[in-house]
Amino acid sequence: MTHPTLAEFASTVRPPQAADVPPLLHQLAEVHGADWVDAAGFDAWKSQPGDRVLLIGGDPVRFPECLDVAVVLPELRRHLGNRFAMGVARREAEDALAAKLAAPRRPTLVFLRDGQYVTTLAGMHDWDVFVREVERALAMPATRVPGIGIAVVSASAGPSCS
């Protein structure tokens, strides 16, 4: 597997206009170093080595928990020894990324490792639950995205493949 260069990835992560982004999401990127991730740059972002966590937040008016998760995520990262890089899905890319990653709820944290899907964690949680669930996610092996690539079997199919 070839990894995109940092320059190739960096060209896809222009920050959105500050007026379009709630201050807490802006702070997650600008102060805590989360990358802005859009649909075009997602594959390059996820292919970087190591553990990565993508926040798909949703509209903060409809899903106010997304702002809580944006505040807690860097604290979780720090508490767990900076074991993962952070990304924030751009608003215009959230639906496409959520569909691609089987993450229908908002907010959702999507865990990836070395370009592979690991799991998701939806919603806001108490601190102890969050720490335990993020530790569990970081210990899980990579797998396929749920619902993608599942074999279809007909009820009338016989035992052979032909």
Side-chain angles (χ1 to χ4, degrees):
M1 168 186 238
T2 61
H3 294 287
T5 67
L6 187 55
E8 290 169 328
F9 171 67
S11 70
T12 69
V13 292
R14 298 169 311 283
Q17 297 298 321
D20 299 336
V21 179
L24 292 173
L25 291 178
H26 184 76
Q27 180 177 317
L28 182 59
E30 302 307 314
V31 175
H32 298 290
D35 297 310
W36 292 108
V37 180
D38 62 14
F42 173 71
D43 287 336
W45 182 80
K46 78 170 186 161
S47 295
Q48 299 299 311
D51 287 299
R52 308 183 85 61
V53 178
L54 177 66
L55 169 59
I56 302 176
D59 176 6
V61 173
R62 287 184 57 211
F63 308 104
E65 286 184 332
C66 80
L67 300 177
D68 297 331
V69 173
V71 169
V72 171
L73 184 58
E75 297 303 319
L76 287 164
R77 181 176 182 251
R78 188 174 11 266
H79 181 78
L80 296 171
N82 297 319
R83 291 174 41 196
F84 56 88
M86 300 178 295
V88 181
R90 292 177 185 259
R91 288 294 315 278
E92 68 273 8
E94 287 175 344
D95 290 341
L97 291 172
K100 183 176 191 166
L101 297 165
R105 278 197 55 203
R106 302 291 190 283
T108 293
L109 297 177
V110 180
F111 292 81
L112 305 151
R113 182 177 306 113
D114 300 326
Q116 302 294 312
Y117 173 89
V118 177
T119 192
T120 62
L121 178 58
M124 182 63 190
H125 304 274
D126 289 335
W127 177 255
D128 292 342
V129 173
F130 239 144
V131 169
R132 183 175 60 248
E133 291 301 311
V134 171
E135 285 176 330
R136 184 182 66 77
L138 293 172
M140 293 174 71
T143 187
R144 65 175 175 74
V145 176
I148 298 178
I150 296 175
V152 176
V153 179
S154 169
S156 62
S160 71
C161 294
S162 53

